[in-house]
Amino acid sequence: MDGTATPGDRAGPGRPVEGRAGRVVAAAEAGASDLAAPIDTVTLAYDDRYRRRIRLATDGGGSVLLDLPQAVVLGDGDRLVLDDGATVRVVAAPEPLVRVTGDLVRLAWHIGNRHLPCQIGLEALLIRRDPVIEAMLAGLGATLAPVEAPFDPERGAYAGGSAHGHGHHHAHDHG
């Protein structure tokens, strides 16, 4: 069991969750807090997890209005805290990616120099499918393998809760 209560545990049998979420608790903090077990989940692709205000359809057939003071990147396992204290767990949806192996430091530098989102692991990098970038990486000696997996890229030092956009200004050579 994944620790998720059914929507009926809060809303009653056959009644999906409905509510407003004005707060997000990061996955790393959720286990150490006194949050209630999630009553539902919402599965979102990476591009759909950068939000401030939107109505989200839950996996149990309900709906949650995400209403935050500023846009945030919702990570896999984060909890949306509803006004009544109930929580809904965020699930990162599988999406088409490419697994990159080889000289990871060098390859990560080239990916970062192009300001592309990248999930960094000890043995591989994960990036979105892009034939031009894949050809560049193969030319640099990378081994590439298409995969379908949740995407949770590094947010970066300047992200400030936002992995999208650049968020800071600087001059450097993109050559």
Side-chain angles (χ1 to χ4, degrees):
M1 187 101 190
D2 66 2
T4 302
T6 64
D9 290 348
R10 175 179 157 271
R15 290 185 47 210
V17 63
E18 299 289 332
R20 177 190 162 276
R23 184 168 69 104
V24 176
V25 175
E29 300 167 17
S33 71
D34 59 352
L35 291 176
I39 59 169
D40 205 342
T41 57
V42 59
T43 302
L44 302 167
Y46 175 65
D47 280 340
D48 297 328
R49 287 185 278 130
Y50 178 63
R51 297 291 178 196
R52 185 193 80 75
R53 191 173 199 311
I54 189 171
R55 182 156 304 276
L56 300 169
T58 68
D59 298 333
S63 142
V64 172
L65 173 63
L66 183 67
D67 188 15
L68 303 172
Q70 63 189 30
V72 299
V73 176
L74 301 171
D76 187 53
D78 286 357
R79 301 278 188 83
L80 308 180
V81 181
L82 304 183
D83 288 341
D84 67 0
T87 67
V88 173
R89 185 171 47 89
V90 175
V91 176
E95 40 193 309
L97 305 171
V98 63
R99 184 176 191 270
V100 180
T101 57
D103 182 351
L104 294 185
V105 172
R106 182 170 169 251
L107 297 168
W109 184 89
H110 282 281
I111 292 167
N113 194 46
R114 284 152 183 83
H115 296 254
L116 298 174
C118 179
Q119 184 172 331
I120 301 171
L122 293 176
E123 298 179 4
L125 307 172
L126 286 177
I127 62 170
R128 290 179 165 154
R129 298 298 314 261
D130 181 323
V132 172
I133 299 302
E134 291 173 42
M136 176 200 70
L137 293 170
L140 292 168
T143 300
L144 307 173
V147 297
E148 186 89 8
F151 190 43
D152 195 20
E154 284 295 313
R155 295 184 186 183
Y158 298 99
S162 165
H164 296 260
H166 209 45
H168 68 284
H169 302 284
H170 59 181
H172 62 202
D173 180 15
H174 283 266

